[in-house]
Amino acid sequence: MHRPVRWPAAQVMTVARAMGPALLSVAVASATAAPLDALLGAWPERAGPSSAAAAAQLEAGLSFVNRHIDFSDPEDDPELAARAARGDYRAAHLSGGWAPAPGWWLAGTLAQRELDDGVDRYRYLGWQLAAQWRWHEPPAGSRLPAMALRLGAWGHRAGETATTTPVRVPGAVLDTVTIRDPADRTLQLDAIASWTLRPGLELGVLASVGDTRLSYGGLTATTRRNGCSYDLLFTGNDIFGTLAEPCNAPGGVIEQFFDSSGSYGVDVPAEIAWRGRFVQWGVNLRGETGAWTWAAGFLWHRIRRDGVDDVVAERGRSAYTHNRQLVLDAGWRFQPGWALFLRADLGERLFFNELPVTYNSSTAGRFGSRLSLLTAGLRAQF
């Protein structure tokens, strides 16, 4: 017996809910260096407060976590929770900057990062472009700050991300889940002021607004029902299943089935491809002594996401909207124009404002974990 049928409501809801843990595994793979907003200053062409301006800069670095990342969730089964509590992360990035004219600074970053959520590994390509204009340069000895505006765009993208570990939920098992072309894109405007407190010491403050949008090209999954394998295709809120291979089952075989997750309170596009608007402010200190430079910055970030956070709240889960971040950086100039550096990035929320694509209605509760990253690398000025 081969015929199209409607999938039972309970089964549809089971699959829709199963997408949550699976999407976490897909989403957490997102990786690139978001702008180091906590350390923004009005003189990006200088390596330190006492350094001469450079025509161009390059930075190459490797990043890793200094302890395991906990991706577990209270709803995970004990075995999955134990594995997800031992996540790992590593990355490599190349950044560059160029001064095309006095007061102007153009910057860009490319990064390839790998994240292990304790079950699967994922790789993402990240990018960043920014242009900064210093519209006020104070005269020597002035107590007034240098003032700058910065317009940037950054994001994360992969051709495809997929889970390979079965996701078990009551009534169904999704053997694999695949998202095609997952991405996020952020546009951001920063206002920056920097004061020279004394030779070798600089104070900076910043305020920012931004707009973030997530997108994906398609969502597919595989599952077994009544002993038969099925391929699932999600088109918006429509779920269409087809028999993956010939199968003999008692009572006949269903060749196709279809239904709409929207009929049961699940809006797939809105929950994983949301739009958000954010504000943030920060303060930092930069110093230089001999061959050493250092910087310390604090950033406060707040975002409002359309749709997805309301869904999270309606389901009785936490929708995180604030983050605090501390960044520490130290550099040692071992010869003119060349320096080694070590940077620590401490965040209150896991990949919160730096990797927006990891946040959706199913993963929101996992952002309560803290994050600590270390980056080591080489800087060059020309």
Side-chain angles (χ1 to χ4, degrees), residues 60-224:
L62 299 174
S63 302
F64 51 91
V65 291
N66 64 354
R67 62 177 182 177
H68 291 297
I69 302 175
D70 186 358
F71 292 112
S72 64
D73 187 275
E75 296 182 0
D76 289 338
D77 63 66
E79 180 181 354
L80 178 61
R83 296 169 68 183
R86 299 180 64 82
D88 198 9
Y89 171 87
R90 60 185 62 88
H93 77 269
L94 179 64
S95 301
W98 172 53
W104 284 89
W105 188 253
L106 305 180
T109 296
L110 286 176
Q112 180 68 55
R113 302 197 180 188
E114 179 182 281
L115 191 145
D116 184 337
D117 67 356
V119 180
D120 294 299
R121 292 183 180 181
Y122 308 91
R123 293 179 178 88
Y124 265 66
L125 177 67
W127 60 274
Q128 175 195 344
L129 294 172
Q132 182 167 320
W133 171 49
R134 187 168 57 251
W135 58 270
H136 176 68
E137 183 83 56
S142 172
R143 294 181 178 272
L144 296 176
M147 304 290 290
L149 292 175
R150 183 175 184 269
L151 180 63
W154 51 275
H156 323 94
R157 178 172 293 278
E160 179 181 279
T161 53
T163 63
T164 58
T165 301
V167 178
R168 294 173 175 84
V169 295
V173 175
L174 293 183
D175 298 310
T176 64
V177 175
T178 301
I179 294 182
R180 188 178 74 253
D181 298 327
D184 66 42
R185 188 273 299 148
T186 296
L187 294 177
Q188 182 174 327
L189 178 65
D190 310 289
I192 308 167
S194 294
W195 288 264
T196 299
L197 301 181
R198 58 176 175 77
L201 185 63
E202 177 184 307
L203 170 68
V205 298
L206 65 108
S208 312
V209 295
D211 179 279
T212 296
R213 300 190 186 198
L214 274 63
S215 64
Y216 68 102
L219 176 63
T220 59
T222 61
T223 191
R224 294 186 65 83

